[in-house]
Amino acid sequence: MKIDGDTIGLADRYEAQWGYPVAKRPVFGSQIKIRGTQSYDGELRVEGLYSTDNVVASKATPVTGVLPSVTVVVEETDIQSPTPVKKTWTFVGQLPSFQKTGQADQFAVFRMTLDLSAEPVCT
Amino acid sequence: MPKTEEEKIEATLKILEKWPEDCPNKPTLMQALLDPNILHSRDLLEDPGIATLTSALGTVELYHLEVPRELLPVKLEESEIPGRHGDIRHYRGDKSPFLELKGTLDSSSEYDALKTTLVAMRRGQDANPISITVRCGASAYINGIQYWVDEIEIEPEPGFGIMWARYRIPCIKRD
């Protein structure tokens, strides 16, 4: 996984969801609602071991008052005969939330949530 | 009134043809055959909208009417009684009933119908009264009653990729 080109070597779990909510409005004299497709919403949640070279926190800081646009690239390889296929998912958004937890004699963990500004692209 | 299955399908198709092509909530033929009430048309002979406003100058269908609110105002004369708080009232007659049609439009065609056709009908309503029909399901409980059409409000809503707006059409019954 890479964030703006920097590799996050210890990310070990991610969860992404995105879509277009449907607005439903009841109309008079009918039990069937009308439906309207609303605006896009999505987020990518990443969790992993925190290491001292982790740069994610710096992406969650506004630059001249604005959270910067961040690109996260996830590379996955599935197993397909005869050769494994590599897929790259690209997520673009802003990082309004960064979380870091630690415990004595244990490892530190980071979590980030990327608010997606566009649909992810898979190549 | 259509009797045979062929006649029912033909009548259903004719009603569906009246719906705007760009309305994403236009019922499909299958939906209409499975649930004819979705057409708001008793015996498949009526107009397709939940409400229909019509005059000699045109017709506007409201396909997604939500709240047809009615107000039945009254004239009550007040009299004060010396030495007592409160008033007594005398009935002096009914005022003209008020009807407010509130709903949603989800296509440019429906927007144009309000902005252009209904406004033209309103402009000529002195000589060409506007009749309103409102249906609950397929039953017209306000059936061809003449109303004055007052100030029309159209409030577009953000976040939709199509023309999506709330509207409000206040009407006062003609006497």
Side-chain angles (χ1 to χ4, degrees), chain B residues 53-60 117 120-122 124-131 146 174:
Chain B
L53 295 84
T54 188
S55 81
L57 302 176
T59 296
V60 169
T117 311
M121 288 163 61
R122 185 179 65 178
Q125 63 183 331
D126 270 342
N128 301 284
I130 297 172
S131 296
Q146 292 184 350
R174 290 176 82 120

PDB file of all heavy atoms in Angstrom, chain B residues 53-60 117 120-122 124-131 146 174:
ATOM      1  N   LEU B  53     -54.145  19.133 -13.485  1.00  0.00           N
ATOM      2  CA  LEU B  53     -54.650  20.501 -13.598  1.00  0.00           C
ATOM      3  C   LEU B  53     -54.906  20.749 -15.074  1.00  0.00           C
ATOM      4  O   LEU B  53     -53.986  20.588 -15.896  1.00  0.00           O
ATOM      5  CB  LEU B  53     -53.634  21.510 -13.065  1.00  0.00           C
ATOM      6  CG  LEU B  53     -53.313  21.443 -11.560  1.00  0.00           C
ATOM      7  CD1 LEU B  53     -52.251  20.409 -11.258  1.00  0.00           C
ATOM      8  CD2 LEU B  53     -52.863  22.804 -11.048  1.00  0.00           C
ATOM      9  N   THR B  54     -56.126  21.117 -15.394  1.00  0.00           N
ATOM     10  CA  THR B  54     -56.436  21.260 -16.818  1.00  0.00           C
ATOM     11  C   THR B  54     -57.321  22.477 -17.077  1.00  0.00           C
ATOM     12  O   THR B  54     -58.149  22.845 -16.232  1.00  0.00           O
ATOM     13  CB  THR B  54     -57.097  19.961 -17.356  1.00  0.00           C
ATOM     14  OG1 THR B  54     -57.215  20.048 -18.757  1.00  0.00           O
ATOM     15  CG2 THR B  54     -58.462  19.731 -16.735  1.00  0.00           C
ATOM     16  N   SER B  55     -57.098  23.109 -18.218  1.00  0.00           N
ATOM     17  CA  SER B  55     -57.965  24.196 -18.680  1.00  0.00           C
ATOM     18  C   SER B  55     -57.938  24.146 -20.198  1.00  0.00           C
ATOM     19  O   SER B  55     -57.261  23.293 -20.785  1.00  0.00           O
ATOM     20  CB  SER B  55     -57.472  25.560 -18.163  1.00  0.00           C
ATOM     21  OG  SER B  55     -56.411  26.041 -18.960  1.00  0.00           O
ATOM     22  N   ALA B  56     -58.634  25.092 -20.826  1.00  0.00           N
ATOM     23  CA  ALA B  56     -58.635  25.116 -22.287  1.00  0.00           C
ATOM     24  C   ALA B  56     -57.250  25.423 -22.835  1.00  0.00           C
ATOM     25  O   ALA B  56     -56.978  25.208 -24.013  1.00  0.00           O
ATOM     26  CB  ALA B  56     -59.633  26.158 -22.782  1.00  0.00           C
ATOM     27  N   LEU B  57     -56.356  25.894 -21.963  1.00  0.00           N
ATOM     28  CA  LEU B  57     -55.017  26.289 -22.417  1.00  0.00           C
ATOM     29  C   LEU B  57     -53.969  25.190 -22.261  1.00  0.00           C
ATOM     30  O   LEU B  57     -52.839  25.350 -22.703  1.00  0.00           O
ATOM     31  CB  LEU B  57     -54.566  27.539 -21.653  1.00  0.00           C
ATOM     32  CG  LEU B  57     -55.480  28.761 -21.788  1.00  0.00           C
ATOM     33  CD1 LEU B  57     -54.992  29.889 -20.914  1.00  0.00           C
ATOM     34  CD2 LEU B  57     -55.542  29.203 -23.250  1.00  0.00           C
ATOM     35  N   GLY B  58     -54.326  24.106 -21.588  1.00  0.00           N
ATOM     36  CA  GLY B  58     -53.344  23.032 -21.442  1.00  0.00           C
ATOM     37  C   GLY B  58     -53.679  22.118 -20.279  1.00  0.00           C
ATOM     38  O   GLY B  58     -54.679  22.311 -19.569  1.00  0.00           O
ATOM     39  N   THR B  59     -52.811  21.116 -20.100  1.00  0.00           N
ATOM     40  CA  THR B  59     -52.974  20.157 -19.012  1.00  0.00           C
ATOM     41  C   THR B  59     -51.613  19.900 -18.372  1.00  0.00           C
ATOM     42  O   THR B  59     -50.616  19.757 -19.083  1.00  0.00           O
ATOM     43  CB  THR B  59     -53.542  18.818 -19.541  1.00  0.00           C
ATOM     44  OG1 THR B  59     -54.848  19.056 -20.066  1.00  0.00           O
ATOM     45  CG2 THR B  59     -53.639  17.777 -18.439  1.00  0.00           C
ATOM     46  N   VAL B  60     -51.603  19.873 -17.044  1.00  0.00           N
ATOM     47  CA  VAL B  60     -50.372  19.543 -16.321  1.00  0.00           C
ATOM     48  C   VAL B  60     -50.666  18.376 -15.386  1.00  0.00           C
ATOM     49  O   VAL B  60     -51.633  18.420 -14.614  1.00  0.00           O
ATOM     50  CB  VAL B  60     -49.860  20.768 -15.522  1.00  0.00           C
ATOM     51  CG1 VAL B  60     -48.752  20.359 -14.567  1.00  0.00           C
ATOM     52  CG2 VAL B  60     -49.369  21.852 -16.470  1.00  0.00           C
ATOM     53  N   THR B 117     -46.101  25.547 -18.958  1.00  0.00           N
ATOM     54  CA  THR B 117     -47.516  25.258 -19.240  1.00  0.00           C
ATOM     55  C   THR B 117     -48.433  25.795 -18.141  1.00  0.00           C
ATOM     56  O   THR B 117     -49.422  26.478 -18.420  1.00  0.00           O
ATOM     57  CB  THR B 117     -47.720  23.730 -19.394  1.00  0.00           C
ATOM     58  OG1 THR B 117     -46.728  23.229 -20.278  1.00  0.00           O
ATOM     59  CG2 THR B 117     -49.099  23.419 -19.935  1.00  0.00           C
ATOM     60  N   ALA B 120     -48.643  29.536 -18.097  1.00  0.00           N
ATOM     61  CA  ALA B 120     -49.490  30.027 -19.193  1.00  0.00           C
ATOM     62  C   ALA B 120     -50.964  29.814 -18.856  1.00  0.00           C
ATOM     63  O   ALA B 120     -51.812  30.681 -19.128  1.00  0.00           O
ATOM     64  CB  ALA B 120     -49.127  29.318 -20.493  1.00  0.00           C
ATOM     65  N   MET B 121     -51.269  28.671 -18.257  1.00  0.00           N
ATOM     66  CA  MET B 121     -52.655  28.406 -17.854  1.00  0.00           C
ATOM     67  C   MET B 121     -53.094  29.403 -16.782  1.00  0.00           C
ATOM     68  O   MET B 121     -54.231  29.883 -16.782  1.00  0.00           O
ATOM     69  CB  MET B 121     -52.777  26.976 -17.319  1.00  0.00           C
ATOM     70  CG  MET B 121     -52.672  25.904 -18.381  1.00  0.00           C
ATOM     71  SD  MET B 121     -52.331  24.259 -17.700  1.00  0.00           S
ATOM     72  CE  MET B 121     -53.746  23.978 -16.663  1.00  0.00           C
ATOM     73  N   ARG B 122     -52.168  29.715 -15.870  1.00  0.00           N
ATOM     74  CA  ARG B 122     -52.487  30.655 -14.791  1.00  0.00           C
ATOM     75  C   ARG B 122     -52.742  32.060 -15.348  1.00  0.00           C
ATOM     76  O   ARG B 122     -53.626  32.772 -14.894  1.00  0.00           O
ATOM     77  CB  ARG B 122     -51.319  30.685 -13.792  1.00  0.00           C
ATOM     78  CG  ARG B 122     -51.587  31.526 -12.561  1.00  0.00           C
ATOM     79  CD  ARG B 122     -50.438  31.501 -11.609  1.00  0.00           C
ATOM     80  NE  ARG B 122     -49.239  32.115 -12.179  1.00  0.00           N
ATOM     81  CZ  ARG B 122     -48.091  32.248 -11.521  1.00  0.00           C
ATOM     82  NH1 ARG B 122     -47.978  31.785 -10.295  1.00  0.00           N
ATOM     83  NH2 ARG B 122     -47.057  32.813 -12.093  1.00  0.00           N
ATOM     84  N   GLY B 124     -54.012  32.819 -18.123  1.00  0.00           N
ATOM     85  CA  GLY B 124     -55.312  32.929 -18.788  1.00  0.00           C
ATOM     86  C   GLY B 124     -56.473  32.405 -17.974  1.00  0.00           C
ATOM     87  O   GLY B 124     -57.532  32.100 -18.522  1.00  0.00           O
ATOM     88  N   GLN B 125     -56.282  32.294 -16.633  1.00  0.00           N
ATOM     89  CA  GLN B 125     -57.305  31.611 -15.843  1.00  0.00           C
ATOM     90  C   GLN B 125     -58.564  32.459 -15.591  1.00  0.00           C
ATOM     91  O   GLN B 125     -59.571  31.922 -15.144  1.00  0.00           O
ATOM     92  CB  GLN B 125     -56.729  31.118 -14.506  1.00  0.00           C
ATOM     93  CG  GLN B 125     -56.244  32.185 -13.571  1.00  0.00           C
ATOM     94  CD  GLN B 125     -55.612  31.583 -12.298  1.00  0.00           C
ATOM     95  OE1 GLN B 125     -55.982  30.499 -11.876  1.00  0.00           O
ATOM     96  NE2 GLN B 125     -54.649  32.284 -11.722  1.00  0.00           N
ATOM     97  N   ASP B 126     -58.500  33.757 -15.905  1.00  0.00           N
ATOM     98  CA  ASP B 126     -59.725  34.557 -15.789  1.00  0.00           C
ATOM     99  C   ASP B 126     -60.792  33.998 -16.739  1.00  0.00           C
ATOM    100  O   ASP B 126     -61.922  33.734 -16.339  1.00  0.00           O
ATOM    101  CB  ASP B 126     -59.440  36.017 -16.163  1.00  0.00           C
ATOM    102  CG  ASP B 126     -59.021  36.825 -14.951  1.00  0.00           C
ATOM    103  OD1 ASP B 126     -59.280  36.351 -13.823  1.00  0.00           O
ATOM    104  OD2 ASP B 126     -58.418  37.898 -15.127  1.00  0.00           O
ATOM    105  N   ALA B 127     -60.398  33.827 -18.008  1.00  0.00           N
ATOM    106  CA  ALA B 127     -61.356  33.371 -19.019  1.00  0.00           C
ATOM    107  C   ALA B 127     -61.400  31.852 -19.146  1.00  0.00           C
ATOM    108  O   ALA B 127     -62.386  31.287 -19.608  1.00  0.00           O
ATOM    109  CB  ALA B 127     -60.987  33.975 -20.379  1.00  0.00           C
ATOM    110  N   ASN B 128     -60.299  31.203 -18.730  1.00  0.00           N
ATOM    111  CA  ASN B 128     -60.219  29.741 -18.872  1.00  0.00           C
ATOM    112  C   ASN B 128     -59.930  29.118 -17.508  1.00  0.00           C
ATOM    113  O   ASN B 128     -58.765  28.927 -17.146  1.00  0.00           O
ATOM    114  CB  ASN B 128     -59.110  29.363 -19.857  1.00  0.00           C
ATOM    115  CG  ASN B 128     -59.337  29.966 -21.223  1.00  0.00           C
ATOM    116  OD1 ASN B 128     -60.166  29.491 -21.982  1.00  0.00           O
ATOM    117  ND2 ASN B 128     -58.626  31.039 -21.514  1.00  0.00           N
ATOM    118  N   PRO B 129     -60.982  28.821 -16.747  1.00  0.00           N
ATOM    119  CA  PRO B 129     -60.785  28.299 -15.387  1.00  0.00           C
ATOM    120  C   PRO B 129     -59.979  26.996 -15.393  1.00  0.00           C
ATOM    121  O   PRO B 129     -60.096  26.191 -16.322  1.00  0.00           O
ATOM    122  CB  PRO B 129     -62.206  28.048 -14.889  1.00  0.00           C
ATOM    123  CG  PRO B 129     -63.077  28.883 -15.747  1.00  0.00           C
ATOM    124  CD  PRO B 129     -62.397  28.971 -17.084  1.00  0.00           C
ATOM    125  N   ILE B 130     -59.190  26.855 -14.333  1.00  0.00           N
ATOM    126  CA  ILE B 130     -58.354  25.646 -14.190  1.00  0.00           C
ATOM    127  C   ILE B 130     -59.093  24.654 -13.283  1.00  0.00           C
ATOM    128  O   ILE B 130     -59.457  24.984 -12.158  1.00  0.00           O
ATOM    129  CB  ILE B 130     -56.982  26.005 -13.600  1.00  0.00           C
ATOM    130  CG1 ILE B 130     -56.239  26.941 -14.573  1.00  0.00           C
ATOM    131  CG2 ILE B 130     -56.161  24.747 -13.323  1.00  0.00           C
ATOM    132  CD1 ILE B 130     -54.952  27.525 -14.024  1.00  0.00           C
ATOM    133  N   SER B 131     -59.311  23.462 -13.816  1.00  0.00           N
ATOM    134  CA  SER B 131     -59.966  22.405 -13.037  1.00  0.00           C
ATOM    135  C   SER B 131     -58.911  21.469 -12.477  1.00  0.00           C
ATOM    136  O   SER B 131     -57.947  21.127 -13.168  1.00  0.00           O
ATOM    137  CB  SER B 131     -60.919  21.604 -13.919  1.00  0.00           C
ATOM    138  OG  SER B 131     -61.948  22.428 -14.368  1.00  0.00           O
ATOM    139  N   GLN B 146     -62.966  23.588  -9.937  1.00  0.00           N
ATOM    140  CA  GLN B 146     -62.258  24.776 -10.445  1.00  0.00           C
ATOM    141  C   GLN B 146     -61.592  25.543  -9.302  1.00  0.00           C
ATOM    142  O   GLN B 146     -62.220  25.810  -8.273  1.00  0.00           O
ATOM    143  CB  GLN B 146     -63.230  25.692 -11.176  1.00  0.00           C
ATOM    144  CG  GLN B 146     -63.735  25.087 -12.476  1.00  0.00           C
ATOM    145  CD  GLN B 146     -64.629  26.039 -13.248  1.00  0.00           C
ATOM    146  OE1 GLN B 146     -65.025  27.090 -12.756  1.00  0.00           O
ATOM    147  NE2 GLN B 146     -64.942  25.656 -14.478  1.00  0.00           N
ATOM    148  N   ARG B 174     -62.687  28.403  -6.757  1.00  0.00           N
ATOM    149  CA  ARG B 174     -63.505  29.445  -7.396  1.00  0.00           C
ATOM    150  C   ARG B 174     -64.953  29.268  -6.952  1.00  0.00           C
ATOM    151  O   ARG B 174     -65.450  28.146  -6.897  1.00  0.00           O
ATOM    152  CB  ARG B 174     -63.449  29.307  -8.916  1.00  0.00           C
ATOM    153  CG  ARG B 174     -62.131  29.671  -9.519  1.00  0.00           C
ATOM    154  CD  ARG B 174     -62.126  29.414 -10.995  1.00  0.00           C
ATOM    155  NE  ARG B 174     -62.733  30.497 -11.748  1.00  0.00           N
ATOM    156  CZ  ARG B 174     -62.085  31.201 -12.684  1.00  0.00           C
ATOM    157  NH1 ARG B 174     -60.834  30.927 -12.976  1.00  0.00           N
ATOM    158  NH2 ARG B 174     -62.702  32.149 -13.331  1.00  0.00           N
TER     159      ARG B 174
END
